[in-house]
Amino acid sequence: MPFVKEYTNDEQLVNDVQKLKKNGIDNTEMYVLSHDDDRTERIASNARANTIGFSEQDMKNFLNNMFNKKGDELRTKLQEMGLSEDEAEEYEEDMDEGKVLLIVNSQKAVSTILQ
């Protein structure tokens, strides 16, 4: 199961990504997700992290997301990353309120690094 942290401050997310990198977590294991595609791309670029794209989703879900409502698309992406349906629903609601997610797929103790 991935580590997920919510942010309201984009700069703090970028700082946390840098901290994780300094502690040996590869940027290929870190993903940024928000309700606004432009914001997601901007933060991911600044942090040198990833967005959830084609390679993280199966083909069917990727194609379905092209026609889904934004909330459905985000929930599907979160489930593809290993979250349960309930967790995906909760995080999607938080993104509705403007929060940005940092999702880390690492075996390292991410929560300990970000304390």
Side-chain angles (χ1 to χ4, degrees), residues 56-113:
E56 289 78 31
Q57 301 178 67
D58 72 29
M59 177 65 89
K60 178 184 172 203
N61 286 337
F62 181 80
L63 292 173
N64 283 341
N65 280 342
M66 295 173 75
F67 303 102
N68 283 342
K69 293 180 180 177
K70 189 64 176 178
D72 294 337
E73 174 189 343
L74 294 171
R75 286 189 295 278
T76 299
K77 286 181 176 184
L78 289 167
Q79 289 175 31
E80 289 282 337
M81 296 302 292
L83 297 173
S84 72
E85 189 174 332
D86 289 339
E87 290 169 322
E89 179 73 31
E90 287 179 38
Y91 283 122
E92 191 274 325
E93 288 174 7
D94 292 342
M95 285 187 285
D96 277 343
E97 298 170 1
K99 294 184 181 171
V100 181
L101 302 183
L102 173 63
I103 304 165
V104 184
N105 281 325
S106 176
Q107 299 303 315
K108 297 186 180 185
V110 176
S111 59
T112 303
I113 295 169

Side-chain angles (χ1 to χ4, degrees), residues 5 19 30 37 44 52 60 68 113:
K5 184 172 179 182
K19 187 185 291 187
M30 295 182 266
D37 291 338
I52 301 169
K60 178 184 172 203
N68 283 342
I113 295 169

